[in-house]
Amino acid sequence: MSDAKTALVTGASRGIGRAIAVALAREGMDVAVIATADSPAVQETVRLIEETGRKAYFAPCNVSDFAACGDCTAKLLEEVATIDVLVNNAGITRDKLLLQMQEKDFDDVIAVNLKGAFNMTKALLRHFLKNKSGTIINISSVVGLMGNAGQANYAASKAGLIGLTKSIAKEYAAKGIVCNAICPGYIETDMTGQMPQAAREKLQAAVPMQRPGLPEDVAAAAVFLSRAPYITGEVLRVDGGMYI
Ligand code: NAI
């Protein structure tokens, strides 16, 4: 077992999750990569972490499955000495206007984006309490702050994450556990790549910095929060000024 700190990043097969995983490895942490299943993308994240000289672990887990989160973290904790940082990054979209939105579109998005963070936090909370230390970073969205037409399910899940973040922060501040949220704006990833060109242009036009964000821009904020022991319950926008 290594003496390094270990971070667990959900949804780390690509995009923002991968960038956070690699940035934390560059900071000297070993990293557990969580994704629903193994894939060439997962292996590429593992390779990028190992390239920094840190250890990478891969654990398959669907974060919307409460029991699976418990099993996955229990198995990981047999391999790693400790988990110090939890980044709840896994997220999905099922964008539709409310009139067209089906019950399943709503439930699926809440299950991954909001309940997934609850599931993973619950799975590691006793470990953090035992350590008298833990850093939780929830990847929300500016859409959780301002709402967005066509994303009622997603905006609700991301606003919910902010409430979850602040509540966890209040409950466990005295126990050495900090919990913060990052709200990315418009970041160039596979997720936003699926959007129609016109929608992407409209989003970019709303960014005062006049460029889309990169996954590395969000990773920089995660690195900052991973070593900010006196910050808790904070909601940090990484949006090029989109929601000023
Ligand atoms: P992405 O779609 O490129 O990556 C999402 C990751 O989550 C993938 O690795 C995917 O396999 C994983 N994932 C999905 N469902 C899962 C499940 N049930 N269990 C485990 N892993 C699962 O998305 P992107 O853009 O990298 O987004 C990452 C996070 O940042 C998401 O929570 C997203 O909502 C949030 N975000 C993204 C923004 C953007 O502009 N790209 C803006 C604001 C927030």
Side-chain angles (χ1 to χ4, degrees):
M1 286 192 190
S2 141
D3 290 333
K5 282 193 165 188
T6 304
L8 182 157
V9 184
T10 70
S13 68
R14 63 186 200 186
I16 293 171
R18 175 188 282 168
I20 292 174
V22 174
L24 293 177
R26 286 204 186 105
E27 288 300 299
M29 291 185 210
D30 294 337
V31 184
V33 173
I34 305 292
T36 38
D38 202 356
S39 66
V42 165
Q43 287 312 313
E44 176 61 6
T45 304
V46 165
R47 191 190 67 75
L48 290 167
I49 293 166
E50 287 174 346
E51 208 173 64
T52 71
R54 302 311 328 171
K55 284 196 177 134
Y57 303 86
F58 165 63
C61 179
N62 178 346
V63 298
S64 67
D65 181 336
F66 182 81
C69 290
D71 291 347
C72 154
T73 52
K75 270 191 209 129
L76 262 173
L77 285 168
E78 288 171 11
E79 271 188 84
V80 301
T82 179
I83 294 173
D84 307 281
V85 177
L86 164 64
V87 184
N88 287 309
N89 164 80
I92 59 169
T93 51
R94 297 283 182 271
D95 296 354
K96 274 167 206 154
L97 294 174
L98 198 59
L99 205 56
Q100 278 88 41
M101 193 176 285
Q102 302 298 308
E103 184 184 10
K104 188 168 165 41
D105 297 321
F106 193 85
D107 289 348
D108 286 354
V109 168
I110 297 290
V112 177
N113 299 9
L114 178 55
K115 189 158 173 267
F118 164 81
N119 291 345
M120 269 294 168
T121 305
K122 280 283 285 180
L124 284 171
L125 190 56
R126 282 182 201 286
H127 178 74
F128 289 154
L129 286 169
K130 199 178 78 192
N131 282 354
K132 298 188 174 59
S133 163
T135 299
I136 304 165
I137 300 170
N138 292 325
I139 307 301
S140 176
S141 166
V142 286
V143 163
L145 297 169
M146 63 191 199
N148 196 21
Q151 291 196 306
N153 49 359
Y154 183 79
S157 73
K158 295 299 188 180
L161 260 183
I162 293 172
L164 180 71
T165 300
K166 292 183 178 179
S167 303
I168 293 169
K170 283 190 172 175
E171 274 185 38
Y172 298 102
K175 305 284 183 193
I177 299 168
V178 296
C179 183
N180 294 291
I182 294 175
C183 287
Y186 170 45
I187 312 296
E188 258 177 1
T189 65
D190 291 326
M191 181 182 271
T192 45
Q194 293 166 4
M195 295 167 72
Q197 175 77 11
R200 278 185 278 145
E201 278 169 13
K202 199 173 153 204
L203 272 177
Q204 192 171 325
V207 180
M209 281 191 181
Q210 299 185 334
R211 70 160 176 94
L214 300 172
E216 290 71 21
D217 293 320
V218 182
V223 165
F224 165 70
L225 288 174
S226 77
R227 29 175 167 83
Y230 202 59
I231 297 179
T232 197
E234 187 55 270
V235 179
L236 180 58
R237 290 183 297 106
V238 181
D239 65 351
M242 196 176 187
Y243 188 61
I244 294 172

